[in-house]
Amino acid sequence: NHAIPPKKLVLKSTWLFTTATDVVDATTTKDLIKNVFGPTQKIGYVQDLVTLSELGIEGMTRRYANIFSLPTYQIEVMIDYFIHWDKLRICCGLQMSKYWRNELLRANSNTGNLSLNNVSLCYNVVIDDVERQFMDTRLYNLISRYERMKWVNRPSLVDGPLTGKYCSGYNEEVMTNRVGFNQVKDMTSFNASSEGDFLFQFGIQ
């Protein structure tokens, strides 16, 4: 099960970016892309989880930036954005870390290595502060200007738009209604979406 798009969606000029579990899987994925789309298919980058863990979000952002030969000031803008987004991705929203969700649910008192499972990060941040800092980044505000792009300014594609209190509201939703991965019961309790029933477009109920 490799993460490659349907052939009909890929043009000859398309650069493919996808993910893999480790370095070996990344190599296999690259070979599969060449087999499916042809030897001349452009591969931007295959990101694997092991390398991401080693480089961290800043190192991985620099690696992507180098592919496009971005100037230093643009790289710093991207790093500022993704450092905050990464914390939200782990500690906030419908696809938060399963270890942090377990902490909120108190369903599993044995979370193992807190550092490994990112639980310690979530304990040590004020999530609404991180959310507002993310919303204050230059790249967030640039993206927000474009109707067809602003949905990426969220912890995941199935989350509602951020409000400055979205994350603490959803965390409360997890604790109160014991919702699981990709689940929400009461959108109004944490102002989940000011753009209509965004979550329910994905069949999430």
Side-chain angles (χ1 to χ4, degrees), residues 91 100 103-104 106 114 118-126:
C91 306
W100 180 235
E103 285 295 292
L104 294 175
R106 296 289 189 264
L114 294 183
N118 294 315
V119 173
S120 60
L121 165 67
C122 301
Y123 273 124
N124 292 326
V125 299
V126 178

Side-chain angles (χ1 to χ4, degrees), residues 169-193:
Y170 184 74
N171 288 354
E172 183 66 29
E173 164 82 349
V174 172
M175 293 185 286
T176 302
N177 290 319
R178 302 188 65 77
V179 294
F181 182 81
N182 270 358
Q183 291 182 336
V184 61
K185 288 186 179 179
D186 184 4
M187 293 174 64
T188 59
S189 67
F190 61 100
N191 192 23
S193 178

Side-chain angles (χ1 to χ4, degrees), residues 46-64:
V46 179
Q47 175 183 299
D48 69 271
L49 295 176
V50 174
T51 304
L52 174 60
S53 178
E54 292 172 350
L55 295 179
I57 196 69
E58 179 175 345
M60 188 58 72
T61 300
R62 291 186 184 279
R63 181 163 290 191
Y64 274 99

Side-chain angles (χ1 to χ4, degrees), residues 27-114:
T27 300
T28 302
T29 301
K30 290 176 185 177
D31 291 340
L32 180 60
I33 289 173
K34 294 294 185 181
N35 289 335
V36 172
F37 300 106
T40 60
Q41 177 60 52
K42 297 177 176 131
I43 301 175
Y45 191 67
V46 179
Q47 175 183 299
D48 69 271
L49 295 176
V50 174
T51 304
L52 174 60
S53 178
E54 292 172 350
L55 295 179
I57 196 69
E58 179 175 345
M60 188 58 72
T61 300
R62 291 186 184 279
R63 181 163 290 191
Y64 274 99
N66 288 337
I67 295 172
F68 298 100
S69 301
L70 297 183
T72 300
Y73 79 92
Q74 290 185 353
I75 296 174
E76 296 307 317
V77 167
M78 289 177 61
I79 289 173
D80 185 38
Y81 178 91
F82 281 112
I83 283 178
H84 290 92
W85 176 86
D86 188 49
K87 294 175 183 176
L88 297 183
R89 178 68 173 160
I90 295 169
C91 306
C92 168
L94 278 75
Q95 295 183 356
M96 66 172 65
S97 160
K98 64 181 180 181
Y99 303 105
W100 180 235
R101 188 182 296 273
N102 281 345
E103 285 295 292
L104 294 175
L105 290 170
R106 296 289 189 264
N108 181 0
S109 60
N110 180 16
T111 55
N113 185 318
L114 294 183

